[in-house]
Amino acid sequence: MKKIVILGAGTGGTIMANKLRKVLERNEWDITIVDKDKTHYYQPGFLFIPFGIYDRNDVIKPKTDFLPPGVNLMYQSIDRIEPEENRVLLEGGKVLNYDYLIVATGTDINPDETPGLKDQLWRKEIFDFYTLDGAVALREFFRDWEGGKLVINIAEQPFKCPVAPLEFSFLADAYFTEIGIRDKVDISFVTPLSGAFTKPKASKMLGELLEEKNIRVIPDFYLESVDNDKKVIRSYDEQEVPFDVLTIVPTNMGDPMVERSGMGDDLNFIPTDKFTLQSKKHENIFVLGDASDIPTSKAGSVVHFASDVVYENLLSAIEGRPLNAQFDGHSNCYIETGYGKGSIIDFNYDTEPLPGTFPLPGIGPFGLLQNTKLNHYGKVLFRWIYWHILLKGKELPIESEMTMAGKKY
């Protein structure tokens, strides 16, 4: 019997397990998925927890709820991949041999990379919201906070869900307005980018929205360290920004097992063909989502669109056909802007976010680079779509390849 091993039972790994089990005969193909965690996290929901919109139970479910019968699920930590031997070594010594391997181990925050970040103020006056524990701790802090300097900082790129720090800023403005202390809260958005976002049109629109909400943007700030005693963040050019509470996106890195396997770059991301999503070094390994080094957003939509390409190309590889499916870097993101409104962006490797309508030209119902209530409802609805459709590998009415229909230059 031939074997497919999937490393990571998050969004990408779960989608692939569902897609492949539907088409590969059980008496011919053994599919095993490995993850150390029994809980599946709806990570886009972490953003809402600090402001009391969601709680812990809204963003967690058992992984077993989403994996199909006929897939072997192993809860175990991965020691390393030995790609030349076509095998995975698990902690404890168990060995998994494979004919094809899908690496979908994602990315995670690594606060230890920044001097002083994970020090005496960590989870007391310095918080992340990219983990469930961080988001819940920040919620508890905000319950009693009476105001001061709130700094939202991005340590470095790349990081998952690039619009989330902007959304946090917008929701903070709305939250503190709602509880009556916005005039006592000074909000600064501190970023290594030259503006609010990476792409010009989106950066202009989002930058204007930040200005409208009296959120100060401090661009080109490359974080070097955090001084817990002075309560400042310091850049490499010795610029300092003081804070009373710091909400930070720490350095993101791929899974440590990638480093142990000798397969990654300096941040443990695996060199991957950006079109076929095949490992650049090993033909029988495909890399999905945040684990790869492809030059696009580390966002959930990328995993969704890219999974179609990995699926097609893996089946082609099995049948000895050319890998004709091509990923174009397609990503789209709903952006919460506060007060029951939102925006949406849709882009790929070659095309920046443009204004227009999505997904239907002239009809929408969502407005690209517009701030509308319908866009907010799209964001809210996505949680149901994620749990009930996307994770189970079902078809969504949005093509993996980006279309220019409805977009305007």
Side-chain angles (χ1 to χ4, degrees):
M1 183 175 286
K2 294 186 177 180
K3 299 179 183 293
I4 294 174
V5 172
I6 303 170
L7 301 182
T11 306
T14 302
I15 290 172
M16 291 309 304
N18 279 287
K19 285 179 174 291
L20 292 171
R21 190 70 288 173
K22 290 174 187 175
V23 298
L24 296 177
E25 296 291 339
R26 293 193 192 186
N27 59 350
E28 295 179 9
W29 285 94
D30 178 88
I31 301 175
T32 298
I33 188 165
V34 184
D35 199 299
K36 63 184 177 182
D37 228 331
K38 294 184 177 181
T39 302
H40 192 106
Y41 298 95
Y42 177 61
Q43 295 183 60
F46 293 174
L47 168 75
F48 296 105
I49 290 174
F51 308 107
I53 302 168
Y54 286 175
D55 63 26
R56 181 185 289 268
N57 292 330
D58 290 319
V59 298
I60 60 172
K61 291 183 185 292
K63 281 191 165 79
T64 51
D65 286 1
F66 306 102
L67 292 165
V71 169
N72 310 309
L73 172 59
M74 300 183 66
Y75 293 120
Q76 203 157 348
S77 294
I78 304 159
D79 178 22
R80 65 186 185 276
I81 303 165
E82 293 187 338
E84 306 304 330
E85 285 75 30
N86 296 326
R87 65 186 187 183
V88 177
L89 276 58
L90 305 181
E91 287 190 0
K94 185 171 180 61
V95 176
L96 296 177
N97 296 302
Y98 62 81
D99 293 283
Y100 291 94
L101 178 69
I102 299 171
V103 183
T105 45
T107 184
D108 205 352
I109 64 166
N110 196 332
D112 292 320
E113 285 290 300
T114 302
L117 178 52
K118 200 173 180 183
D119 206 332
Q120 65 201 39
L121 296 182
W122 181 248
R123 300 272 169 85
K124 295 174 183 173
E125 293 174 4
I126 299 174
F127 302 88
D128 74 281
F129 63 91
Y130 274 67
T131 62
L132 183 55
D133 288 344
V136 170
L138 185 53
R139 173 59 181 156
E140 293 306 309
F141 178 87
F142 277 161
R143 287 181 193 274
D144 300 318
W145 194 48
E146 296 179 355
K149 292 182 175 66
L150 169 61
V151 172
I152 298 107
N153 175 239
I154 300 164
E156 67 176 296
Q157 293 184 285
F159 60 96
K160 58 185 172 183
C161 197
V163 299
L166 289 162
E167 294 180 287
F168 185 93
S169 304
F170 296 137
L171 289 174
D173 166 70
Y175 173 76
F176 293 119
T177 299
E178 192 175 290
I179 65 173
I181 64 169
R182 181 62 179 92
D183 60 332
K184 298 177 182 177
V185 179
D186 177 73
I187 305 177
S188 296
F189 182 78
V190 185
T191 173
L193 302 175
S194 58
F197 196 62
T198 54
K199 311 292 184 180
K201 291 183 187 295
S203 186
K204 181 176 184 296
M205 177 265 180
L206 294 166
E208 289 172 352
L209 200 53
L210 288 167
E211 184 178 357
E212 177 186 312
K213 295 173 183 290
N214 196 28
I215 298 170
R216 183 166 62 116
V217 178
I218 301 175
D220 302 311
F221 187 99
Y222 296 91
L223 181 66
E224 185 273 328
S225 63
V226 179
D227 188 324
N228 283 240
D229 295 324
K230 289 180 65 177
K231 294 180 71 172
V232 300
I233 55 174
R234 188 173 294 115
S235 68
Y236 282 97
D237 62 4
E238 299 186 349
Q239 182 182 1
E240 293 185 348
V241 177
F243 65 85
D244 293 303
V245 56
L246 173 63
T247 303
I248 192 164
V249 182
T251 298
N252 276 218
M253 297 181 70
D255 196 289
M257 75 87 190
V258 174
E259 181 180 14
R260 293 193 294 270
S261 307
M263 293 177 64
D265 60 16
D266 290 345
L267 292 173
N268 297 343
F269 299 125
I270 299 174
T272 304
D273 185 294
K274 72 176 187 177
F275 298 116
T276 65
L277 304 180
Q278 186 181 47
S279 162
K280 287 183 176 179
K281 293 184 179 178
H282 305 96
E283 291 186 353
N284 62 341
I285 297 178
F286 290 85
V287 189
L288 181 59
D290 295 349
S292 78
D293 72 342
I294 61 173
T296 191
S297 172
K298 290 190 180 298
S301 62
V302 171
V303 179
H304 165 222
F305 298 135
S307 67
D308 289 342
V309 174
V310 171
Y311 170 75
E312 293 293 340
N313 281 338
L314 179 54
L315 294 183
S316 294
I318 288 170
E319 296 169 7
R321 295 183 283 111
L323 308 188
N324 290 328
Q326 299 280 292
F327 182 56
D328 67 348
H330 189 192
S331 177
N332 60 27
C333 303
Y334 287 99
I335 305 171
E336 277 292 294
T337 57
Y339 305 100
K341 291 187 176 183
S343 189
I344 183 173
I345 53 177
D346 190 62
F347 57 100
N348 65 11
Y349 289 140
D350 300 318
T351 305
E352 69 168 305
L354 297 169
T357 56
F358 180 86
L360 300 175
I363 299 174
F366 306 115
L368 296 167
L369 290 179
Q370 298 174 39
N371 191 29
T372 70
K373 287 189 176 296
L374 269 175
N375 288 337
H376 162 71
Y377 294 140
K379 177 90 173 186
V380 173
L381 177 63
F382 184 74
R383 181 167 62 119
W384 186 92
I385 292 171
Y386 181 86
W387 290 129
H388 296 278
I389 299 177
L390 190 143
L391 279 181
K392 296 182 178 181
K394 297 178 181 178
E395 293 297 319
L396 285 171
I398 300 172
E399 295 297 324
S400 296
E401 187 174 358
M402 194 198 78
T403 175
M404 290 300 296
K407 295 181 173 64
K408 303 171 186 175
Y409 280 103

